[in-house]
Amino acid sequence: MTALALVAAHPDDVTTLVAHEPPLVQVLPDVDRAVAATRAVQAVYQDRGGATAWRRSSA
């Protein structure tokens, strides 16, 4: 959120921002898909731990 606020306040000072995860998936155009993907990663995290969830989410 801090980086997004920086870009909004000073757009000429930032040439590139990579926002890894949107803070609010509800504002994405494919909200149903985004929510499903988030829940799937959360389920893997609960069942198999963080390392497996990280690999799954970045695949």
Side-chain angles (χ1 to χ4, degrees), residues 26-59:
Q26 291 79 12
V27 300
L28 296 174
D30 56 347
V31 64
D32 293 335
R33 184 172 174 236
V35 169
T38 300
R39 288 187 178 149
V41 171
Q42 290 170 342
V44 171
Y45 177 82
Q46 291 292 331
D47 293 340
R48 300 184 190 148
T52 303
W54 176 256
R55 286 191 300 273
R56 181 78 52 96
S57 69
S58 61

